[in-house]
Amino acid sequence: MAVLKVEAEPGEVGFDPDRLARIDTHFQRYVDDGRLAGWSIALARRGRLAHVSHYGRRDLETGLPVDGDTLWRIYSMTKPVTSVAALMLYERGALELTDPVSRYIPSFADLRVYQAGSALKPATVPAVEPVRIWHLLTHTAGLTYGFHHAHPVDEMYRAKGFEFAAPRGMDLAAACDAWAALPLLFQPGAEWNYSVATDVLGRVVEVASGQSLDEFFAEHIFGPLDMTETGFAVPPEDLDRLAALYTPNPTGGLIRNTSLGEAITRPPSMLSGGGGLVSTLHDYHRFTQMLAGGGQLNGERLLGTRTLRYATRNHLPGNADLDAFGRPISAESAFAGIGFGLGFSVVVDELAGKVLTSPGEFAWGGLASTSFYVDPVEDLTVVFMTQLLPSSTYPIRPQLRALVAQAVVD
């Protein structure tokens, strides 16, 4: 197993070491007062790893510590991996961003759009244009999640067994057919709504490539990037390395979430490109270094520089942010000043969100409070791992950005 090692003294890449220490001091308090069980952080600048730290326990019940080989459920940090896979196929001519999804998943032809009514008796109208690949990449397809609890269509997803996962025994192809049979929230391209779109995109990757999603990831992404610990399930021999999953206890401290937490311990029937991966700090750091490196790492090129530059621009109409164009639901990003590209959130107005950041920063996070971001202005990458549901519990992400930014002094 590979463990991250610091490659540069903080001062060599423009960090004040005393200010950098504030990051650890701040998040240690999260563990000491019982808000988090433990965490890991990796921070690189100019392509050199300058800070790695671990604190707390990966399992409160056994007392095992967080360390460099801890395995973390990354949930929606799977989405950028799936998006990169689709972009790789785009570069090979295997698909076009404007292709109708029905070219790869026939059930996505002749979709209906919710107009009024209840989950039991919805009134629908025909979609005026097809859902296209770029709609999936930008979450503008009109799909949703059952766990939003914000709309009758969300309720319809839950009634079919889709809340945080698919019904047991259902594979990805069948799940896509089930979603296609439900109404869209809105006409394709009309709004932004966080959704199963990236799971559907994962199925497109399978059909366009002729490989299952796990096979494509392993051969074309994880292998080239030396991400040997990332996959859709934890094998039995590595279960002691898996961090436990927790939710806040209303009376204080944490409650172990075994119902969701144990899902990753067995091979899934549905390969979720939207939220199915487990990874390590080392592996996801490698992925962010590829992104920061313009699509390549150590001579292994996954994407062309122009493709990545295009994908990390705001693709929402009129350069709108999520606050103006998105549905008011929970997602793995703030909304004010944040646009959305082809698989990543993108900062379009660094002043609007009142968080210390840079224009063009691209990022995403996961349901269990994990997050990463790439700041091309400051040439830095940050990965934060922990296991607390839901990610909206504490303002970890804006605090992390402020603490990292204040440590850059060159």
Side-chain angles (χ1 to χ4, degrees):
M1 63 195 71
V3 177
L4 286 178
K5 296 180 181 178
V6 170
E7 302 162 335
E9 291 296 322
E12 295 174 4
V13 290
F15 287 112
D16 180 318
D18 292 332
R19 285 177 164 263
L20 204 57
R22 293 176 180 176
I23 301 171
D24 292 357
T25 300
H26 178 79
F27 287 112
Q28 284 167 6
R29 288 195 290 267
Y30 270 85
V31 174
D32 294 344
D33 65 16
R35 286 176 288 171
L36 294 178
W39 50 259
S40 289
I41 296 173
L43 174 57
R45 195 159 188 237
R46 301 171 190 155
R48 301 173 72 193
L49 190 64
H51 184 75
V52 178
S53 55
H54 316 285
Y55 193 74
R57 288 167 286 176
R58 65 176 181 257
D59 191 310
L60 292 174
E61 286 71 28
T62 65
L64 291 170
V66 171
D67 55 25
D69 68 355
T70 298
L71 291 162
W72 309 91
R73 300 162 195 79
I74 61 171
Y75 287 113
S76 287
M77 278 165 57
T78 306
K79 288 180 170 71
V81 179
T82 305
S83 300
V84 164
L87 291 168
M88 292 172 74
L89 291 170
Y90 168 67
E91 287 191 328
R92 299 173 190 186
L95 58 82
E96 297 289 330
L97 298 180
T98 53
D99 280 347
V101 173
S102 59
R103 182 171 298 177
Y104 308 91
I105 309 173
S107 59
F108 268 72
D110 304 318
L111 297 176
R112 306 286 296 183
V113 179
Y114 174 90
Q115 189 174 43
S118 68
L120 295 175
K121 290 188 176 181
T124 65
V125 296
V128 297
E129 73 159 304
V131 170
R132 303 182 187 276
I133 302 298
W134 76 267
H135 291 135
L136 299 178
L137 282 158
T138 57
H139 289 284
T140 58
L143 298 164
T144 191
Y145 271 126
F147 63 74
H148 285 328
H149 292 262
H151 192 278
V153 176
D154 306 344
E155 185 180 342
M156 295 169 72
Y157 274 56
R158 295 194 299 276
K160 294 294 183 180
F162 299 101
E163 186 164 10
F164 289 101
R168 182 167 289 193
M170 181 179 286
D171 66 12
L172 181 56
C176 288
D177 290 344
W179 294 325
L182 297 171
L184 301 176
L185 262 68
F186 46 76
Q187 293 290 345
E191 298 182 49
W192 185 94
N193 190 70
Y194 197 39
S195 72
V196 299
T198 318
D199 289 298
V200 177
L201 186 67
R203 178 58 183 160
V204 171
V205 168
E206 290 189 329
V207 175
S209 69
Q211 293 182 286
S212 64
L213 196 60
D214 55 350
E215 291 171 343
F216 188 94
F217 283 177
E219 180 178 345
H220 301 287
I221 299 177
F222 301 156
L225 295 182
D226 192 29
M227 296 172 64
T228 59
E229 305 286 338
T230 304
F232 284 101
V234 178
E237 64 270 21
D238 290 329
L239 287 176
D240 64 327
R241 296 168 51 201
L242 177 64
L245 186 64
Y246 295 98
T247 53
N249 187 333
T251 61
L254 299 168
I255 300 171
R256 192 183 186 103
N257 189 321
T258 54
S259 59
L260 280 178
E262 292 182 359
I264 200 72
T265 65
R266 54 186 178 267
S269 54
M270 188 190 100
L271 297 172
S272 171
L277 289 176
V278 63
S279 191
T280 62
L281 187 70
H282 166 275
D283 279 15
Y284 214 87
H285 168 74
R286 300 278 295 178
F287 184 70
T288 64
Q289 291 308 104
M290 178 276 294
L291 296 173
Q296 70 87 33
L297 179 65
N298 296 342
E300 295 284 352
R301 180 165 292 283
L302 270 63
L303 291 173
T305 55
R306 275 69 177 171
T307 305
L308 191 59
R309 197 179 304 152
Y310 182 75
T312 55
R313 295 179 62 186
N314 183 23
H315 284 251
L316 300 183
N319 204 36
D321 67 1
L322 296 177
D323 209 29
F325 199 72
R327 293 257 169 155
I329 45 83
S330 176
E332 307 307 331
S333 173
F335 275 23
I338 308 296
F340 208 85
L342 302 179
F344 309 89
S345 63
V346 183
V347 173
V348 294
D349 182 352
E350 70 274 25
L351 302 181
K354 301 298 178 279
V355 175
L356 198 53
T357 185
S358 300
E361 176 213 281
F362 58 98
W364 206 240
L367 182 69
S369 303
T370 61
S371 67
F372 85 94
Y373 65 94
V374 178
D375 185 332
V377 174
E378 298 294 349
D379 194 9
L380 65 82
T381 64
V382 180
V383 180
F384 182 88
M385 295 293 199
T386 191
Q387 298 284 261
L388 180 75
L389 293 173
S391 61
S392 57
T393 305
Y394 302 114
I396 291 172
R397 292 164 185 168
Q399 290 175 357
L400 180 63
R401 281 166 170 79
L403 285 159
V404 171
Q406 62 84 35
V408 179
V409 293
D410 61 357

